[in-house]
Amino acid sequence: MEADITPSTSSIPSIIGKQSILPVLVFVIGVSLWAQLFLLSFGAELEFADRRVWTTLAYALPLIVIVAALALRASLLLLLAFPLSLLPGLVLMPEPDQAVINELWPLLRICATFAIYLALSAALRSGSTDVPITSVSPREKAAAVVATLDYRWFFGTRIGIALFSLALITYAIFFDDHTLALLQTHYAGGEDVARSFLAIFMFFAWCVFVYVMVFVPSMNLEYDQRKLSGSLDAMRAKISRPAAMMRIGGWVTVCGLAVFVVWTMGGQ
Amino acid sequence: MRSKIYDIVGLGFMLSSSYFFYRCVEFLAQKDYVAGFMTLIVAFVVVRVGVEITKLAILIGREG
């Protein structure tokens, strides 16, 4: 099973062509996601005479993040900071507004919009990569064939862990007696809304988790390997083995001290 | 062999992040949002470490 890893230059103009429309699409879908989640609550908040500053800021934060992310073309902001910036607003949203977005169809619409947003943002990122287009040496080609053979293990384990995490989160929210008891204690009378809110929140978190764990490493496998190999070679040339061992020892000591301090402070 | 060990350690990190997701749900169910966010950040950091270690595993496998 040999993959054709010869760089294709014919796709470059089409990627560049996409750059003009993709940011606009990402912006539109991102704002649409924001509107589905916060527009009603944000509008209501603005109508109040006595506005809650932190809540209003939490609602507006995703808009600021997406504009900044698109202006800077920062993939980390687009794919990680934007989804995370939605979470404070969700947490501070009043329960009646949470109940509105917890209906089946709005929920499905939000999830679908979020999935489209992630796909478009990832496409934008892949088009703006700074990977140099160079010819592939026979040694690298041979190494890539080995990597191709490892793909089943690579994807199988990661997809397995992602599905396990999803199952664990679903169990924790909907079936775990301990969590259900906590919800009944702390959200008396609104357990269903609280459970739905937790489900949305954790689904967002899980999407980011899958993106960080599966999507990015899979898309950048070859580039990451070259980059890591280059970094290690540069480090080997710069730092002698005793100095490297001292540095590792120093970090292990710092970590040990941090664990000790947390432990003595009563952390678990 | 060394590559397999790195790979298993990296996957162990990724798998262990599930524990932090569970604790995050637990904290949020107690309305302890700060602890929930912090636990979530820890979960992502643990995943990130796992990803970096598995990168090393692949590199070692290729070089070896």
Side-chain angles (χ1 to χ4, degrees):
Chain A
M1 192 163 74
E2 182 173 339
D4 180 15
I5 56 167
T6 307
S8 167
T9 49
S10 61
S11 61
I12 294 171
S14 65
I15 289 171
I16 293 167
K18 277 193 291 183
Q19 292 309 299
S20 57
I21 188 74
L22 260 180
V24 179
L25 278 175
V26 169
F27 180 73
V28 169
I29 295 291
V31 171
S32 163
L33 179 63
W34 175 85
Q36 288 174 52
L37 289 168
F38 301 125
L39 190 60
L40 287 176
S41 312
F42 188 61
E45 197 66 41
L46 291 180
E47 285 176 9
F48 288 148
D50 185 20
R51 285 175 205 150
R52 294 171 298 173
V53 177
W54 288 111
T55 310
T56 312
L57 278 177
Y59 291 149
L61 181 65
L63 292 177
I64 298 166
V65 172
I66 196 168
V67 169
L70 285 170
L72 298 170
R73 286 285 200 282
S75 54
L76 194 69
L77 288 179
L78 274 176
L79 288 158
L80 197 62
F82 178 70
L84 288 176
S85 71
L86 296 166
L87 300 181
L90 283 172
V91 169
L92 296 171
M93 190 184 281
E95 284 191 6
D97 291 346
Q98 286 181 9
V100 171
I101 61 170
N102 286 335
E103 300 289 330
L104 178 64
W105 289 113
L107 202 58
L108 286 176
R109 208 172 51 221
I110 288 166
C111 291
T113 312
F114 185 54
I116 293 168
Y117 172 81
L118 284 180
L120 287 176
S121 303
L124 184 68
R125 183 183 194 277
S126 66
S128 61
T129 181
D130 56 351
V131 180
I133 306 293
T134 55
S135 60
V136 180
S137 69
R139 181 173 160 269
E140 285 176 328
K141 196 165 184 175
V145 174
V146 174
T148 306
L149 295 173
D150 286 338
Y151 267 116
R152 269 185 216 158
W153 166 256
F154 185 85
F155 282 113
T157 47
R158 277 148 188 80
I159 289 170
I161 292 171
L163 291 177
F164 172 76
S165 299
L166 185 64
L168 185 75
I169 289 167
T170 309
Y171 168 78
I173 295 172
F174 293 101
F175 302 105
D176 186 23
D177 290 337
H178 178 56
T179 310
L180 297 182
L182 287 173
L183 286 174
Q184 280 172 353
T185 310
H186 295 276
Y187 296 87
E191 297 96 334
D192 290 338
V193 174
R195 196 177 301 124
S196 302
F197 157 71
L198 268 180
I200 292 180
F201 183 92
M202 292 311 294
F203 177 72
F204 270 61
W206 183 79
C207 283
V208 176
F209 167 69
V210 171
Y211 176 77
V212 170
M213 189 185 77
V214 184
F215 196 78
V216 173
S218 309
M219 293 296 104
N220 297 335
L221 191 61
E222 289 300 321
Y223 172 66
D224 281 344
Q225 291 302 308
R226 287 187 190 194
K227 194 176 163 191
L228 184 61
S229 180
S231 304
L232 288 175
D233 286 344
M235 205 169 278
R236 278 186 200 123
K238 205 164 67 176
I239 304 172
S240 65
R241 194 172 174 82
M245 296 308 285
M246 271 187 70
R247 187 178 283 195
I248 291 168
W251 278 110
V252 169
T253 310
V254 169
C255 292
L257 277 173
V259 169
F260 178 74
V261 168
V262 172
W263 187 270
T264 50
M265 284 170 68
Q268 293 177 352
Chain B
M1 184 61 192
R2 206 156 66 97
S3 148
K4 287 279 175 211
I5 291 169
Y6 270 78
D7 205 18
I8 288 165
V9 170
L11 291 171
F13 268 96
M14 292 182 200
L15 195 62
S16 61
S17 66
S18 301
Y19 169 74
F20 295 101
F21 282 112
Y22 179 82
R23 291 304 300 263
C24 177
V25 171
E26 198 179 3
F27 284 127
L28 291 177
Q30 294 175 56
K31 282 192 174 174
D32 193 347
Y33 300 123
V34 175
F37 270 120
M38 288 176 75
T39 314
L40 200 58
I41 290 168
V42 171
F44 286 127
V45 170
V46 170
V47 171
R48 184 77 194 166
V49 171
V51 168
E52 294 300 323
I53 292 176
T54 49
K55 270 185 208 170
L56 266 178
I58 296 171
L59 189 68
I60 291 167
R62 285 183 178 188
E63 286 180 347

